Amino acid sequence: MSDEDEFLQKARAGFEDLCRALNMDEEASTEAWKTYENISRNFTLEGSELHWLACALYVACRSSVPTVGKGTAEGNYVSLTRILRCSEMSLIEFFNKMKKWQDMSNLPQDFRQSTEKLERNFTVSAVIFKKYVPIFKAIFKAPSEEPPRVHRSRKQRRHPCTVTEVFNFCWVLFVHAKGNFPMISDDLVNSYHLLLCALDLVFTNALLCNARKDLLNPSFRGLPEDFSSKDYRPSSGPFCFIEQLCELHDGLVLEAKGVKEHFWKPFVKKLFHKRILRGKEDGLTGFLDPMNFGDSFLSLSRVYEEHVLATGSLDERIFTGEGASEDIGTPGPCLCEGVENQDSAAYRLHTSLTASALKVFTPLTGRKYIQENSLASPLSSAMKSVGRLHTLLSGTKQGPSPKLTETLRTCARDPSDVISKRLKDMFDLFSQHYEDAAESRGMGKDMAVKYFHLAEALYYRILESIIEREKMILGDADLSCILEQDVFHRSLLACCLEIVIFSYRPPGDFPNVITIFQLPAYHFYK
């Protein structure tokens, strides 16, 4: 027996053990082994063969299989988290190896895009979880301050929830909502506002439930003024603390309210309507009540698990799990750690790794254009970018300003109609692209419309500035010739779109925008 055959025999034994542990179906395991065998003969696979076998299994599992009554699911319901745990591979290792495996297997573009989306979702969640821990600690008591739980008989098992249970519940509620909106699941800014909505809902429920005031941190600055008095009674009517949370934790009020109204509220109402969350559907309250919490948490965890298995998504509960450091591949914050632990070298390593995943890569010659700020997290940088964008566009209405309209009208050949038609054509092209690619790329038409309208406002603003500068140089010369250059207008709008997308979803989506509009990179760069 040759060394190569001996190696494959040993790998086969490990592969069969892995398949047994995962209860893998025969079709997927046969396909995975065939691919692995072929690649191992043509390429040198460095590191653990079990890790490469896990990549082969993941690809085989993601091949569509028919399911009863629901059309086609994205795979055979084998969890990625289980594949990684059984093969003892961290998420970061998986993403690194998967990129190489995709190249060696020559996998189609759709599959590569879904893996990119998966990695980006993970990166966004990693950044947000790091923000979630200190915000939760500011609002709720630390677990160490909780009184010890009294042992109860089975008949009395409906006990009040602990702070740790609320911490896990709120995170599952957030990741389930995020997973149900693929158009914002890898959008850092909107995902963060979705987290603030989850915290707002849980905080409001703790305030309204008389038996659960003990969960809250009495020094939290967002509490009602009379909260500490013995006579405190929550007022009737809907509570909303989203503004206070935005002010205290760097959110953008307008964006957060938009996310709450259009995404969060309909989603939570559906959870109450389906009795996944138990309580009062009209006020979206009552799930922290001892009679409701246990059932609500179980149901929520179950539907989230079903969603993860059906879509082949990552189970983002790993961030709150005991083995989070091993599962993810880097140490991160946890609820029970103090601030001193978060200043450690290991914690800084986690910070730098998640930050680097959202960093813009440029040629060495372009480094001067990127602001290096070691103190700014990816989230705070994105918030500042979106904040600056809103400040720049505040007061602007859709379409050209009266001043710009007048300037265009005074040209020998008024380009207003041509500009409007071009923008409409570009809007149709852009929104159609993201409607078609919503499943694989995840932006979705709704977010594409929002981004385009912001880019259009920015386009008119910059066009007005450019015309003013040209007039300073050329005097009263007619600008018709300049304003009729199609490639100039299309490049300018593409630049504006890139700025908007970069602000919401760092590090942007370049060169996707110029590909959609079939813009030569040379003209775009000019």
Side-chain angles (χ1 to χ4, degrees):
M1 188 185 286
S2 67
D3 288 347
E4 186 183 346
D5 290 336
E6 197 176 328
F7 173 79
L8 279 172
Q9 195 175 26
K10 185 184 168 190
R12 178 77 197 191
F15 176 72
E16 285 172 358
D17 288 342
L18 181 59
C19 289
R20 272 194 295 274
L22 292 166
N23 197 23
M24 188 66 62
D25 62 276
E26 191 179 343
E27 189 183 339
S29 57
T30 304
E31 180 62 32
W33 177 255
K34 199 165 76 177
T35 311
Y36 172 79
E37 201 172 20
N38 183 40
I39 286 176
S40 65
R41 290 187 194 280
N42 293 302
F43 296 92
T44 302
L45 301 177
E46 295 179 345
S48 166
E49 66 263 20
L50 203 59
H51 290 177
W52 294 112
L53 286 163
C55 291
L57 274 173
Y58 175 73
V59 175
C61 287
R62 296 275 48 83
S63 301
S64 294
V65 292
T67 58
V68 179
K70 292 185 179 179
T72 301
E74 294 177 42
N76 62 352
Y77 292 95
V78 176
S79 155
L80 169 60
T81 312
R82 279 191 64 222
I83 292 174
L84 298 184
R85 279 184 183 151
C86 291
S87 60
E88 297 179 348
M89 176 161 52
S90 72
L91 259 171
I92 288 175
E93 279 180 293
F94 168 73
F95 287 127
N96 287 335
K97 282 207 161 59
M98 211 44 227
K99 283 169 191 168
K100 295 170 187 172
W101 188 261
Q102 287 171 165
D103 290 337
M104 292 185 290
S105 308
N106 198 22
L107 291 174
Q109 192 60 27
D110 283 355
F111 191 93
R112 292 167 190 257
Q113 285 177 350
S114 68
T115 311
E116 280 171 26
K117 170 86 174 160
L118 192 71
E119 183 176 14
R120 196 174 162 74
N121 283 348
F122 157 69
T123 307
V124 166
S125 294
V127 171
I128 286 177
F129 184 72
K130 218 179 83 202
K131 194 83 175 167
Y132 172 58
V133 174
I135 298 175
F136 187 90
K137 283 181 174 179
I139 299 172
F140 297 91
K141 282 182 180 174
S144 55
E145 294 176 31
E146 282 191 306
R149 177 173 281 179
V150 179
H151 179 71
R152 296 165 185 264
S153 68
R154 286 192 172 188
K155 289 179 182 178
Q156 299 172 300
R157 70 167 65 175
R158 293 183 184 275
H159 51 70
C161 53
T162 64
V163 173
T164 306
E165 286 171 333
V166 173
F167 176 79
N168 292 331
F169 173 85
C170 187
W171 180 252
V172 175
L173 185 61
F174 160 68
V175 292
H176 185 43
K178 180 170 165 283
N180 271 269
F181 300 116
M183 69 290 291
I184 64 170
S185 63
D186 63 345
D187 177 325
L188 187 59
V189 172
N190 282 314
S191 291
Y192 178 60
H193 288 130
L194 205 59
L195 175 74
L196 293 184
C197 291
L199 284 160
D200 171 53
L201 181 72
V202 177
F203 173 54
T204 302
N205 269 266
L207 263 183
L208 291 173
C209 185
N210 287 326
R212 304 298 24 230
K213 279 171 58 180
D214 58 309
L215 292 169
L216 298 168
N217 180 355
S219 58
F220 176 54
R221 285 187 287 163
L223 288 171
E225 287 180 15
D226 58 340
F227 177 77
S228 53
S229 73
K230 288 181 181 178
D231 302 324
Y232 171 75
R233 289 287 178 275
S235 60
S236 59
F239 272 101
C240 179
F241 291 92
I242 206 81
E243 279 191 45
Q244 288 98 314
L245 287 172
C246 286
E247 285 164 18
L248 293 169
H249 299 287
D250 310 315
L252 300 166
V253 177
L254 198 65
E255 290 282 324
K257 284 186 172 179
V259 168
K260 183 173 181 177
E261 204 58 42
H262 299 295
F263 293 100
W264 181 254
K265 273 189 178 175
F267 173 75
V268 174
K269 280 178 181 173
K270 201 181 289 182
L271 292 181
F272 271 95
H273 184 68
K274 290 181 176 178
R275 290 193 54 76
I276 292 162
L277 291 184
R278 311 290 171 90
K280 298 173 185 172
E281 189 179 338
D282 53 344
L284 308 181
T285 57
F287 56 77
L288 288 184
D289 188 283
M291 295 300 290
N292 296 325
F293 181 78
D295 292 335
S296 296
F297 198 2
L298 274 174
S299 301
L300 183 65
S301 299
R302 177 180 50 77
V303 292
Y304 174 63
E305 209 165 294
E306 286 170 3
H307 173 79
V308 165
L309 291 170
T311 58
S313 308
L314 174 67
D315 188 339
E316 294 180 350
R317 291 176 299 180
I318 63 168
F319 289 99
T320 58
E322 288 180 11
S325 300
E326 292 78 20
D327 288 340
I328 296 165
T330 57
C334 91
L335 181 63
C336 301
E337 284 177 341
V339 177
E340 67 279 358
N341 290 352
Q342 297 185 14
D343 290 330
S344 67
Y347 184 76
R348 286 197 298 274
L349 169 69
H350 172 73
T351 306
S352 65
L353 279 166
T354 49
S356 67
L358 295 171
K359 189 182 277 185
V360 186
F361 291 97
T362 69
L364 287 171
T365 50
R367 285 289 158 88
K368 61 186 177 184
Y369 299 114
I370 304 292
Q371 282 189 339
E372 291 291 345
N373 183 357
S374 58
L375 297 174
S377 72
L379 186 57
S380 61
S381 299
M383 287 296 171
K384 281 175 187 169
S385 295
V386 175
R388 282 199 296 267
L389 190 64
H390 281 291
T391 304
L392 184 66
L393 299 177
S394 63
T396 57
K397 294 177 182 176
Q398 205 172 347
S401 68
K403 184 180 176 183
L404 179 59
T405 305
E406 187 57 39
T407 304
L408 296 174
R409 215 175 273 150
T410 56
C411 292
R413 297 179 297 279
D414 184 356
S416 301
D417 291 342
V418 178
I419 287 173
S420 296
K421 186 178 184 310
R422 184 187 295 110
L423 287 174
K424 185 183 181 307
D425 291 344
M426 290 180 81
F427 168 72
D428 291 342
L429 193 63
F430 185 72
S431 56
Q432 186 60 48
H433 172 84
Y434 280 107
E435 186 174 24
D436 295 341
E439 289 304 313
S440 57
R441 297 198 64 82
M443 184 189 288
K445 192 174 179 180
D446 291 345
M447 296 312 295
V449 169
K450 175 184 175 176
Y451 293 161
F452 193 93
H453 286 330
L454 283 169
E456 188 181 330
L458 188 60
Y459 160 83
Y460 277 122
R461 180 103 183 215
I462 295 172
L463 182 62
E464 191 172 331
S465 301
I466 290 170
I467 291 172
E468 283 176 10
R469 280 198 64 176
E470 289 297 317
K471 280 190 162 186
M472 285 169 63
I473 298 165
L474 301 173
D476 293 327
D478 183 44
L479 298 174
S480 296
C481 194
I482 296 169
L483 293 173
E484 285 172 348
Q485 290 183 30
D486 179 69
V487 75
F488 159 71
H489 287 282
R490 292 197 305 126
S491 299
L492 179 58
L493 185 78
C495 282
C496 294
L497 264 172
E498 193 55 46
I499 288 168
V500 172
I501 294 169
F502 174 88
S503 300
Y504 280 89
R505 305 166 77 226
D509 207 14
F510 189 80
N512 198 38
V513 169
I514 62 172
T515 306
I516 294 168
F517 299 125
Q518 297 180 331
L519 267 172
Y522 173 75
H523 292 297
F524 177 81
Y525 182 70
K526 278 204 302 182

